Amino acid sequence: MLDIESRSGKKVFIETYGCQMNLADSELMGGVLAGTGYGSAKTLDEADVILINTCAVRERAEDRIFGRLTDLLRYKNANPDLVLGIAGCMAQHLREKIIDQAPYVDIVVGPDSYRNLPAMIDKATGEAADPVLDLKLDKAEVYEGLTPKRRPGISGWVSVQRGCDKFCTFCIVPFVRGRERGVAPSEVVRQVREMAEQGYKEVTLLGQTVNSYRHQLPGEPETDFADLLSMLVPIDGIERIRFTSPYPTDFTPKLIETIAREDKISKYLHLPAQSGSARMLEMMRRQYTRDEYDKLIDDIRTAIPDIALSTDIMVGSPGETDEDFIQTVELMEKTRFDFAYLFKYSERSNTYAARNMPDDVSEQEKGDRLRHIIELQESISAEVFKQEIGRTRRVLVDGVSRRDENDLAGRSDQFKRTIFPKPADREVKPGDIVDVRITDCTSHTLIGEYVESK
Ligand code: 5AD
């Protein structure tokens, strides 16, 4: 839910599914609507407009949203004037199915049409016969000049890139979010400065393949992702800069050097591998080989010894054999990621894989493989967390511990949840960056004590 100041009688409730880009897009929609006088609804009951910002990356995400739409029918029945909208990737992907299965939906809006939301809501309120659709993909739209309605806090997002040009064979994103485009550096700097003024301490730059970012104005030199980071580092007030998700082949030596050099840039990288099998990587059209991925990890760890790494892995992709799967297990054992996000392949219509590669790994086999690597990663993560004991880490405090309000909580530079008792002789509050010596851990949390910074 977004906290939009009440500026008119009408109130909107935005519910978000999927990735961080969607959370940022919901804040963008909140900004567009706040700019035209909409207030924010604290609950679904008091909403005049409900928007569901959706995900299409796996079938399960879409099934969940269809389930949610059935729940929401009761709000439509209770309030016939309620405007119910479906936004985002699934809106783009499944417009017909949505209209067919949930004919009471009033608005279907794709990721490039959020500027039109106020007009669409007006139209849906006026006529209310057929759903109002806007699903044009616009290769120029980067929402420049709009200020997202961000949740107040320590940490916020800025989308610096929209769309994707990679066309991995399994992935729906290029079809629902269109071609890759970068936001002008001046616009990114403006937003980050504004966030610093509002008291944000951490900014996360978002893009589908964020490190392929590039932007060029006529007659000027091109800005690449390392340049963009370097432009943000001097902004006072911003203490930590993160970004997600980088794409393996878009890591330049210059980018690695920039991360290594700048204290403000978080020492945590999410590097989706998808598979450890060279054969599968080729079938997925990932544009890197297994050897190249291994070398990239080596280069990063050599240049930035303190780096924490995470990855995305899919099991059961078309044609994946036991031997391919063993390669994935071997990759995980060798690389020892700090975290991993693990998925079963889910066929997405329109993708190259859906049109050309039978979904031939059985559900049973996908389940078995997934369970195997979940267990493996749990034990690796537990060991990696234990290795933190005895180290001193910089923690950005973001609140108090859920278990004990005498404990502060935050994330280390390596993005690990860390809790420590409030020091007796010094005030430490959310937004502060402090040194914490790690003394213990649970499977997903570090426990430590405040130490005076040197
Ligand atoms: N099925 C399962 N997982 C997928 N992902 C992307 N497309 C699919 C799909 N069709 C996963 C990838 C990606 C993450 C965001 O979601 O691992 O990195």
Side-chain angles (χ1 to χ4, degrees):
M1 192 197 69
L2 294 162
D3 180 27
I4 302 164
E5 289 154 37
S6 218
R7 282 208 254 148
S8 80
K10 285 209 171 178
K11 289 183 175 166
V12 57
F13 190 100
I14 306 178
E15 198 169 277
T16 311
Y17 294 82
C19 63
Q20 287 169 326
M21 183 75 82
N22 262 9
L23 291 165
D25 278 357
S26 289
E27 294 184 342
L28 191 71
M29 289 190 250
V32 170
L33 291 169
T36 49
Y38 282 89
S40 86
K42 300 266 176 297
T43 62
L44 287 164
D45 285 301
E46 66 174 44
D48 301 290
V49 179
I50 298 175
L51 295 175
I52 310 294
N53 192 7
T54 61
C55 173
V57 82
R58 282 170 290 275
E59 193 175 1
R60 233 170 87 170
E62 292 180 337
D63 289 347
R64 233 179 114 203
I65 291 157
F66 277 118
R68 188 64 182 139
L69 277 176
T70 312
D71 299 343
L72 291 174
L73 183 55
R74 93 182 148 86
Y75 295 93
K76 282 291 284 185
N77 289 337
N79 173 11
D81 295 331
L82 174 74
V83 173
L84 175 60
I86 302 298
C89 296
M90 175 182 160
Q92 195 75 37
H93 181 214
L94 291 183
R95 66 186 93 174
E96 281 97 11
K97 195 170 167 195
I98 293 167
I99 296 164
D100 186 47
Q101 291 203 6
Y104 48 90
V105 164
D106 302 292
I107 288 177
V108 184
V109 58
D112 287 345
S113 303
Y114 298 148
R115 284 183 198 270
N116 299 338
L117 264 175
M120 294 176 77
I121 295 172
D122 289 349
K123 199 164 171 212
T125 311
E127 294 172 9
D130 289 329
V132 181
L133 309 186
D134 192 341
L135 296 155
K136 281 186 300 295
L137 288 175
D138 177 350
K139 63 180 185 302
E141 181 61 280
V142 288
Y143 296 109
E144 265 174 44
L146 283 174
T147 298
K149 189 76 200 173
R150 297 192 167 86
R151 266 183 316 194
I154 306 287
S155 183
W157 295 287
V158 177
S159 294
V160 302
Q161 177 193 61
R162 300 188 67 87
C164 184
D165 279 354
K166 300 293 186 204
F167 286 91
C168 301
T169 52
F170 54 84
C171 187
I172 188 112
V173 168
F175 300 91
V176 292
R177 283 190 169 268
R179 294 293 64 73
E180 178 187 323
R181 58 231 115 116
V183 180
S186 56
E187 173 73 13
V188 177
V189 169
R190 176 186 76 85
Q191 289 200 29
V192 177
R193 282 214 185 105
E194 252 173 47
M195 291 171 73
E197 279 159 23
Q198 290 160 5
Y200 288 90
K201 301 292 177 196
E202 180 181 76
V203 51
T204 304
L205 308 181
L206 298 177
Q208 296 298 334
T209 58
V210 70
N211 57 334
S212 67
Y213 173 90
R214 50 174 59 202
H215 191 277
Q216 187 164 28
L217 290 170
E220 290 189 21
E222 185 180 82
T223 304
D224 68 13
F225 188 62
D227 299 331
L228 184 69
L229 286 172
S230 297
M231 292 165 89
L232 301 177
V233 165
I235 297 178
D236 281 340
I238 297 299
E239 303 287 350
R240 187 183 280 168
I241 301 168
R242 301 202 297 119
F243 55 89
T244 202
S245 285
Y247 191 82
T249 54
D250 294 308
F251 258 95
T252 58
K254 176 171 146 195
L255 176 56
I256 297 176
E257 278 160 32
T258 306
I259 301 167
R261 184 179 65 236
E262 300 295 351
D263 277 352
K264 278 193 185 179
I265 302 179
S266 167
K267 301 301 179 254
Y268 162 58
L269 291 174
H270 181 65
L271 263 177
Q274 311 303 354
S275 170
S277 152
R279 200 179 73 90
M280 294 311 294
L281 291 173
E282 199 180 335
M283 301 229 304
M284 292 174 176
R285 297 202 179 142
R286 290 292 287 177
Q287 302 172 19
Y288 53 86
T289 63
R290 168 63 196 276
D291 289 345
E292 283 163 347
Y293 187 86
D294 287 347
K295 177 165 185 319
L296 176 63
I297 298 278
D298 277 352
D299 289 350
I300 290 173
R301 283 184 163 157
T302 306
I304 320 164
D306 251 4
I307 201 81
L309 297 171
S310 65
T311 197
D312 287 343
I313 301 269
M314 277 188 314
V315 294
S317 297
E320 187 186 68
T321 63
D322 284 343
E323 181 49 38
D324 294 313
F325 176 65
I326 289 167
Q327 293 297 313
T328 294
V329 170
E330 191 265 332
L331 169 74
M332 293 172 70
E333 284 172 342
K334 173 174 162 183
T335 313
R336 300 173 60 76
F337 296 101
D338 296 64
F339 320 97
Y341 301 86
L342 309 170
F343 309 105
K344 284 193 272 190
Y345 172 73
S346 164
E347 187 174 275
R348 311 282 58 215
S349 53
N350 284 337
T351 57
Y352 182 88
R355 286 183 282 116
N356 299 286
M357 303 171 170
D359 183 6
D360 56 2
V361 178
S362 71
E363 196 48 40
Q364 164 90 35
E365 189 61 46
K366 285 180 183 172
D368 288 348
R369 288 178 187 174
L370 184 64
R371 275 187 295 279
H372 185 95
I373 58 170
I374 289 175
E375 221 169 274
L376 171 63
Q377 185 58 41
E378 284 289 313
S379 76
I380 294 171
S381 290
E383 286 165 21
V384 171
F385 272 62
K386 274 208 188 94
Q387 282 166 0
E388 291 288 285
I389 295 173
R391 292 182 181 151
T392 297
R393 294 301 196 187
R394 263 162 30 120
V395 174
L396 173 59
V397 179
D398 57 24
V400 293
S401 156
R402 259 167 289 164
R403 286 208 205 117
D404 183 346
E405 62 176 37
N406 292 315
D407 285 346
L408 293 164
R411 284 196 192 267
S412 69
D413 269 343
Q414 287 71 22
F415 203 60
K416 296 192 174 65
R417 189 106 215 123
T418 307
I419 59 171
F420 60 100
K422 282 182 184 164
D425 53 351
R426 187 184 184 280
E427 198 210 347
V428 178
K429 53 184 190 319
D432 290 347
I433 286 219
V434 296
D435 280 349
V436 175
R437 199 169 65 85
I438 308 305
T439 54
D440 199 358
C441 69
T442 65
S443 55
H444 297 105
T445 309
L446 299 177
I447 299 162
E449 57 193 21
Y450 169 82
V451 290
E452 210 55 61
S453 303
K454 283 188 212 94

